[in-house]
Amino acid sequence: MSETTQQVPVEAAGKGKAVNPLLKLALEFGPLAIFFFANSYGDRLFHVAEDRRIFVATGIFIAASLVALVLSRVLMGYLPRMAIVNAIVVTVFGGLTLALDDAFFIKVKPTIVNALFGSVLLGGLFFGRSLLSLVLETVLQLDAEGWRKLTFRWGVFFFVLAAINEVVWRTQTQDFWVAFKVWGVMPLTMIFALAQTPLILKHELKPAKTEE
């Protein structure tokens, strides 16, 4: 979550095909990896000036995100909410980057997306709704307190990611920002997710035992 709505079929309805977890990870992480390699080797592969690599990479990133969305629909049988949001945001901010010839927009995209996700989750809690359960209810079964705590933690974490992105792109080189976006945010998100295991186990709803 190193960067959060759909109609048919809906994930929460439990529809879709069984998909290998590695394939699902590839669909989610693939466009970012392609973005990294296009930015790293764009000058050699596409014969553009070194300072133009980010624009070539952005165009490829948009295309890869849309392709991943189509493949998700075909292979999984549904469109993941996060994939839809990500594809829309990448297309909008990537399009602005190319149209205005300004890398600012693709750099600030993770800040806006993460701040948006954080605002939605924490805002939902303010109105008494643990919105994270709408996304994860087919994966986790938690009591109300568990959902509230998990939603709050993820909401705060998204704001932390937004702040980190701002610091990195404003203080580091463009290549460092791209590398961190791809190879730094994902490990941070996985570590954070694993750190929630004790909370999940504590508040997990156990299936009722049936008497024989």
Side-chain angles (χ1 to χ4, degrees):
M1 284 184 178
S2 161
E3 293 192 345
T4 353
T5 49
Q6 97 209 28
Q7 297 299 320
V8 286
V10 181
E11 284 176 286
K15 298 180 181 179
K17 307 172 186 177
V19 179
N20 186 299
L22 292 179
L23 175 59
K24 188 174 181 180
L25 180 63
L27 290 172
E28 295 175 354
F29 187 67
L32 268 179
I34 292 172
F35 176 64
F36 169 77
F37 285 110
N39 180 74
S40 298
Y41 305 106
D43 51 341
R44 281 165 279 181
L45 293 175
F46 304 103
H47 307 290
V48 297
E50 187 172 338
D51 62 348
R52 303 296 300 176
R53 290 178 303 168
I54 188 69
F55 299 101
V56 173
T58 297
I60 294 174
F61 190 23
I62 295 172
S65 297
L66 295 176
V67 168
L69 196 63
V70 173
L71 289 177
S72 294
R73 181 65 178 87
V74 172
L75 298 176
M76 300 170 63
Y78 65 90
L79 293 175
R81 292 182 176 91
M82 296 292 282
I84 291 177
V85 173
N86 184 67
I88 292 173
V89 173
V90 167
T91 300
V92 171
F93 284 87
L96 287 172
T97 296
L98 298 178
L100 301 178
D101 199 36
D102 191 342
F104 164 80
F105 296 99
I106 197 65
K107 291 178 180 178
V108 81
K109 189 269 292 184
T111 301
I112 294 176
V113 171
N114 286 313
L116 175 63
F117 287 163
S119 298
V120 168
L121 292 181
L122 297 183
L125 287 179
F126 180 79
F127 290 102
R129 296 290 303 278
S130 300
L131 298 178
L132 193 65
S133 63
L134 299 179
V135 180
L136 300 178
E137 64 183 356
T138 59
V139 180
L140 298 175
Q141 296 296 321
L142 304 179
D143 58 30
E145 183 182 0
W147 279 123
R148 283 195 300 271
K149 290 181 177 179
L150 193 62
T151 299
F152 176 78
R153 291 184 183 185
W154 274 104
V156 172
F157 180 69
F158 279 127
F159 275 110
V160 170
L161 287 181
I164 291 175
N165 184 69
E166 281 296 291
V167 170
V168 172
W169 85 261
R170 291 179 184 277
T171 63
Q172 304 300 316
T173 65
Q174 186 166 277
D175 286 348
F176 183 91
W177 171 78
V178 172
F180 180 78
K181 173 180 170 62
V182 178
W183 309 114
V185 173
M186 178 66 76
L188 283 175
T189 303
M190 293 179 67
I191 291 171
F192 177 80
L194 289 174
Q196 308 317 303
T197 302
L199 173 67
I200 292 172
L201 293 177
K202 180 179 179 180
H203 293 278
E204 185 177 18
L205 294 177
K206 305 296 183 181
K209 295 182 179 180
T210 57
E211 295 183 3
E212 298 182 1

